[in-house]
Amino acid sequence: MRTIDDEERRARLARRHGLLTGLPDAAAATRAMTVLHATEAATVHLSLWARVPGITVADVDAALYDDRALVKQLAMRRTLFVFPRDLLGAAWGSAATRVAVQQRKQLAKWVVEAGLAADPDAWIDHACAEVLAALADGVPRTTRELRALVPTLEGRIQRGTPDKRWSGEFPIAAWVMTTLGAEGRVLRGPNAGHWRLNKPSWVRSDHWLRDAEPAWPEDKGYAELVRRWLATFGPGTEADIVWWLGATKTIVRRALADIGAVEVGLHPSPRSGTPPTGWVLPDDVDPVDPVEPWAALLPTLDPTVMGWKERAFYLDPADTPYLFDTNGNAGNTAWWGGRVVGCWVQDEDAVVKVLLRHDIGSEGAAALDAEAERLTAWLDGVRIVNVYASPQMKGAALG
């Protein structure tokens, strides 16, 4: 069994993630990453900025809303992602369905607790049918606009407990739309606000994607997701794939067998000291050449930093409390030579600043400063507000 050391894993990451030489366009970059995180709207644009030389905000929006080569879909770990269009069928039949079942069950519970109906499934079916009817004319509409057309969506539910700052009574509309979205019956259409803000309008899937593939069988869908993941992130451990996919070990082991994945050895983790087993695609066993040092500034929840659960080969574990929140969500990160070495923030004038956690020498510092200047120019005065800001980012803001 061949061993793939950490240096080679970083070389694979640099080449395959478009961080060394770049990728030609938004669709190619998204396929290279399998999917892009989209929980924060700005992440999509900034992830593509880091990988596609010369890309503009208009280019990203065109790929999402005009060409529709890229589509936002709730899937793995109940997270919103941007999928390349040809991967949607696999997701709809597997990870998205898993989330949809969970979402519908939770929604049914809230319907009963709020006293909206004694038969929650019938209530949900009725509400969903009304929404789909309201969208039948093909006009994208926000949740607020749909509430005006579909009175059923005005039903209110209690979220949280009084001790929570975000608790209160809210219209049920958002959770009906989330359920429909997870089921693949509606999609997020054109953004109704600034590109850096998540204000989607909704469209019917059968209108937005008239020639979309239907949902794949579950086992084939999971196998395709794992195959794409290995092409992007391999080698990775079973634990990495289970975490990223939001599925079970049984599902992952079956998918690995279905695609003929090959075992390889990896370097021991700092915690266990035991060499773990990794997996690669059957045609991806051969060594890859080393790469020259490279610099990158990646946004909050970028797919590179969020690709693995076990991150020691590119992240000093001592940095985790500073660069990730307590749920494992990454803030902005600064990279040098295939390792996370700090983060980046913006000052009050929207100028990007790099905050290092390690001494990387003058060459590395100069390369990251050049990236900061490039990103500052690209943002052109736009300040990004992050929901998932890391403790180091918050400390800089407070300072």
Side-chain angles (χ1 to χ4, degrees):
M1 184 169 64
R2 188 169 94 77
T3 294
I4 299 179
D5 63 24
D6 289 352
E7 181 180 359
E8 182 178 344
R9 294 182 76 182
R10 292 191 291 269
R12 286 168 170 250
L13 178 159
R15 286 195 174 93
R16 299 176 186 192
H17 293 200
L19 299 172
L20 187 65
T21 58
L23 294 161
D25 55 40
T30 304
R31 284 194 298 270
M33 297 310 303
T34 303
V35 289
L36 304 177
H37 276 257
T39 303
E40 294 197 3
T43 294
V44 178
H45 295 73
L46 293 173
S47 290
L48 291 170
W49 167 84
R51 295 171 170 86
V52 182
I55 198 168
T56 66
V57 169
D59 293 334
V60 179
D61 287 347
L64 285 166
Y65 309 126
D66 297 332
D67 305 335
R68 302 172 193 176
L70 306 178
V71 181
K72 292 183 179 181
Q73 173 65 45
L74 197 71
M76 297 78 72
R77 306 191 313 279
R78 199 186 174 277
T79 298
L80 185 65
F81 293 97
V82 168
F83 280 79
R85 186 163 170 166
D86 66 339
L87 190 56
L88 272 178
W92 282 340
S94 57
T97 294
R98 182 181 178 87
V99 171
V101 170
Q102 297 167 346
Q103 186 68 30
R104 181 173 273 259
K105 181 178 180 181
Q106 180 63 73
L107 180 57
K109 178 182 177 183
W110 288 333
V111 166
V112 172
E113 289 177 349
L116 298 177
D119 185 344
D121 290 327
W123 187 96
I124 294 171
D125 288 341
H126 175 71
C128 290
E130 288 191 316
V131 169
L132 294 174
L135 293 173
D137 59 3
V139 177
R141 291 185 171 88
T142 65
T143 302
R144 182 184 293 273
E145 290 169 337
L146 285 169
R147 283 169 52 194
L149 295 174
V150 182
T152 305
L153 297 182
E154 290 290 355
R156 304 183 76 81
I157 59 173
Q158 180 70 37
R159 291 295 315 280
T161 56
D163 60 311
K164 300 294 185 182
R165 184 177 59 183
W166 50 266
S167 67
E169 192 177 72
F170 303 95
I172 202 168
W175 288 276
V176 173
M177 298 311 301
T178 299
T179 300
L180 274 167
E183 293 174 347
R185 294 198 281 169
V186 300
L187 295 168
R188 288 160 174 81
N191 199 28
H194 193 280
W195 64 265
R196 76 189 190 282
L197 303 175
N198 193 8
K199 294 185 176 181
S201 62
W202 297 94
V203 293
R204 278 178 45 159
S205 303
D206 56 348
H207 293 170
W208 193 250
L209 303 176
R210 295 188 183 276
D211 58 348
E213 284 189 80
W216 293 20
E218 182 182 36
D219 57 341
K220 294 185 181 299
Y222 276 123
E224 181 63 9
L225 288 176
V226 172
R227 187 185 71 79
R228 301 261 191 133
W229 186 92
L230 285 178
T232 299
F233 300 102
T237 65
E238 180 184 280
D240 289 328
I241 305 171
V242 168
W243 174 80
W244 181 87
L245 198 58
T248 64
K249 290 181 179 179
T250 299
I251 288 173
V252 169
R253 288 170 182 172
R254 178 174 179 175
L256 289 169
D258 286 345
I259 62 177
V262 175
E263 291 180 279
V264 294
L266 301 177
H267 273 188
S269 70
R271 288 179 298 177
S272 69
T274 302
T277 296
W279 296 90
V280 294
L281 292 173
D283 60 354
D284 193 27
V285 180
D286 293 341
V288 302
D289 293 332
V291 299
E292 295 297 319
W294 51 274
L297 299 180
L298 301 183
T300 295
L301 301 176
D302 184 83
T304 293
V305 73
M306 295 295 292
W308 295 268
K309 181 181 182 181
E310 299 174 342
R311 301 164 173 150
F313 76 96
Y314 64 86
L315 174 73
D316 184 338
D319 290 339
T320 301
Y322 300 93
L323 302 176
F324 290 74
D325 68 16
T326 54
N327 293 318
N329 296 306
N332 298 340
T333 50
W335 294 66
W336 174 245
R339 292 183 175 89
V340 177
V341 295
C343 75
W344 61 271
V345 295
Q346 290 177 282
D347 65 17
E348 292 183 356
D349 297 319
V351 175
V352 175
K353 305 288 185 182
V354 177
L355 305 178
L356 293 173
R357 296 198 53 78
H358 300 273
D359 181 0
I360 59 174
S362 58
E363 179 187 3
L368 283 171
D369 285 343
E371 285 296 290
E373 292 179 9
R374 189 168 73 90
L375 181 53
T376 298
W378 191 83
L379 288 169
D380 193 24
V382 172
R383 292 187 66 192
I384 306 300
V385 179
N386 296 109
V387 175
Y388 293 96
S390 65
Q392 187 172 21
M393 291 168 65
K394 292 178 181 177
L398 293 174

